[in-house]
Amino acid sequence: MTEEHYLGVKNLRRVFDVSKPWLNRILEGEKRQILKAVDGVSFEIVRGETFALVGESGSGKSTAARMIVGLLSPSEGGVTISGVPMVGREANDERRRLRRKIQMIFQDPYASLNPRWRVSEIIAEPIRAFDIIRGQRDIRIRVDELLSLVGLHPADSAKFPHEFSGGQRQRIAIARALASNAEFIVCDEPTSALDVSVQAQILNLMRDLQDQFGLTYLFISHNLAVVRHMATRIGVMYLGRIVEIAEGHELFNRPKHPYTQMLLDAVPDTDMIGRQRVPVRGEIPNPISPPTGCTFNPRCPFANERCRAEVPLLVNGVACHASHEGRLPSLMV
Ligand SMILES: Nc1ncnc2c1ncn2[C@@H]1O[C@H](COP(=O)(O)OP(=O)(O)O)[C@@H](O)[C@H]1O
Ligand code: SF4
Ligand SMILES: [Mg+2]
């Protein structure tokens, strides 16, 4: 990538020990069980763009997001913001300053909004915590302004979260993220719990705010259709790894990985331009004992011996032997 990148993620890994307690293991003769939730993920995000991570539930998207915002420590690998390494024990001033610029928005805003606080207190909290504005009056003016920005009414500031709909609550979560003067927002399935029409409104709002404030987004979704109009670039995750990474329109028009093709074929309104549909088949395997070689091989119509033995590397934006060998039928149309 030639442009200067804002976020750098390099060879990020996270394992979880999901073994039974020691005594059970002894009695039942079981080995220690290690789950690789994120298994060597690398990508970069340019300032002002929307990078999407897409994949079925369990592919490691949330774990990656939590490591990127500093909620979870990586087992291996690094995260940089504006070139500054963010992983490590000592919390120096520069790291703290950059960390403040990162906010996370979750699928369920109700869980992330304190139910006992009025909206005014919820939105004012980061303003006070980061000492962005002083004085009750000025803070109140700023809260009203933020509510208007996200399409709510200043009078809403006196209400409690339960008095709002799901979409409105997500607007409150966005207002709170903006209150901290965030420049990078990690959105983990922000619209997955909402009705389709409300989803579109929230996505439009997020795009408007991005244009207005030059925000950078990491947008996570299990649904490719949702990221279609948001993402400049997309990384497709499968069992902890990125299997394809491409510009948004490129990925939709010329998917290279059979898994990406399968996800696209599950989206009802995509143009197929003569490509044969890859039917959705099988389920994501148990991540504790993943298949050998390419972990997608039990579900892949193009799998062969090499696929079952050798892990494909991400080369030219795709991690697939058949794609590298030029033996995928879709590439011939
Ligand atoms: N704290 C944890 N302890 C054990 N396993 C976990 C933990 N968090 C996530 N996992 C496992 O890691 C894998 C990836 O999970 P997650 O990152 O939530 O995926 P996604 O967000 O793509 O659905 C899943 O198999 C999940 O069960
Ligand atoms: S490497 Fe083989 S099994 Fe994996 S996606 Fe490509 S063709 Fe399918
Ligand atoms: Mg998740």
Side-chain angles (χ1 to χ4, degrees):
M1 195 173 291
T2 48
E3 290 161 274
E4 189 209 349
H5 63 258
Y6 173 76
L7 175 82
V9 172
K10 191 107 200 245
N11 200 24
L12 207 55
R13 288 176 203 274
R14 174 68 204 209
V15 296
F16 291 109
D17 187 338
V18 290
S19 313
K20 286 188 183 163
W22 172 79
L23 190 58
N24 294 54
R25 287 209 309 277
I26 300 290
L27 295 176
E28 295 164 29
E30 280 186 22
K31 288 198 188 126
R32 192 173 274 280
Q33 294 195 307
I34 302 294
L35 186 152
K36 294 177 180 171
V38 173
D39 192 14
V41 161
S42 302
F43 60 86
E44 289 168 353
I45 303 185
V46 173
R47 192 179 282 275
E49 83 163 328
T50 299
F51 182 87
L53 276 180
V54 180
E56 284 162 291
S57 170
S59 53
K61 307 179 299 294
S62 296
T63 304
R66 288 165 65 210
M67 289 192 279
I68 288 166
V69 301
L71 287 175
L72 185 72
S73 59
S75 306
E76 222 180 282
V79 175
T80 58
I81 298 279
S82 301
V84 177
M86 299 299 285
V87 176
R89 286 201 179 277
E90 98 272 20
N92 58 39
D93 284 351
E94 192 167 27
R95 240 183 232 164
R96 218 170 293 138
R97 185 180 60 78
L98 290 166
R99 186 84 67 210
R100 285 180 181 187
K101 302 282 178 190
I102 309 173
Q103 287 295 317
M104 193 155 171
I105 294 175
F106 298 91
Q107 174 173 347
D108 179 7
Y110 200 54
S112 63
L113 302 176
N114 189 330
R116 287 186 205 88
W117 285 12
R118 292 181 196 277
V119 167
S120 56
E121 297 165 279
I122 290 172
I123 298 177
E125 196 258 346
I127 300 176
R128 293 204 174 93
F130 297 160
D131 205 13
I132 294 169
I133 299 173
R134 288 183 185 165
Q136 283 296 99
R137 209 181 94 86
D138 288 344
I139 292 177
R140 202 164 55 236
I141 292 171
R142 176 64 177 151
V143 169
D144 289 354
E145 184 185 48
L146 287 163
L147 283 170
S148 307
L149 267 175
V150 299
L152 293 173
H153 195 273
D156 289 330
S157 65
K159 297 184 191 162
F160 292 94
H162 73 261
E163 297 178 66
F164 296 89
S165 67
Q168 288 171 326
R169 282 201 284 264
Q170 205 54 293
R171 288 174 193 269
I172 296 167
I174 294 170
R176 188 181 54 179
L178 294 175
S180 68
N181 288 341
E183 52 185 31
F184 177 44
I185 304 187
V186 175
C187 321
D188 192 356
E189 308 263 10
T191 63
S192 300
L194 306 175
D195 292 343
V196 176
S197 61
V198 181
Q199 264 187 29
Q201 290 166 16
I202 298 294
L203 295 177
N204 283 333
L205 170 68
M206 289 178 61
R207 282 230 310 233
D208 288 348
L209 294 171
Q210 180 171 43
D211 289 345
Q212 224 170 323
F213 301 107
L215 301 171
T216 306
Y217 288 141
L218 170 58
F219 193 99
I220 290 172
S221 179
H222 66 280
N223 184 350
L224 258 178
V226 169
V227 306
R228 180 169 202 174
H229 301 289
M230 286 294 286
T232 38
R233 286 185 309 127
I234 300 173
V236 177
M237 282 189 77
Y238 191 74
L239 278 181
R241 295 203 182 108
I242 290 186
V243 295
E244 180 165 2
I245 193 163
E247 301 274 330
H249 61 92
E250 182 75 19
L251 191 105
F252 274 88
N253 292 328
R254 278 180 295 280
K256 289 180 179 164
H257 197 286
Y259 179 59
T260 312
Q261 296 177 353
M262 199 181 89
L263 288 179
L264 277 175
D265 292 354
V267 177
D269 65 345
T270 38
D271 313 322
M272 298 297 295
I273 12 175
R275 185 167 63 75
Q276 215 185 321
R277 274 185 187 264
V278 178
V280 178
R281 49 186 231 175
E283 280 177 14
I284 206 159
N286 182 351
I288 297 169
S289 49
T292 56
C294 170
T295 54
F296 187 59
N297 84 67
R299 301 173 75 182
C300 181
F302 310 107
N304 65 12
E305 274 317 301
R306 186 183 178 199
C307 301
R308 284 182 276 274
E310 198 183 316
V311 177
L313 302 177
L314 192 68
V315 179
N316 292 329
V318 61
C320 167
H321 296 309
S323 178
H324 296 159
E325 294 161 7
R327 64 174 178 87
L328 284 183
S330 58
L331 298 180
M332 291 187 251
V333 294

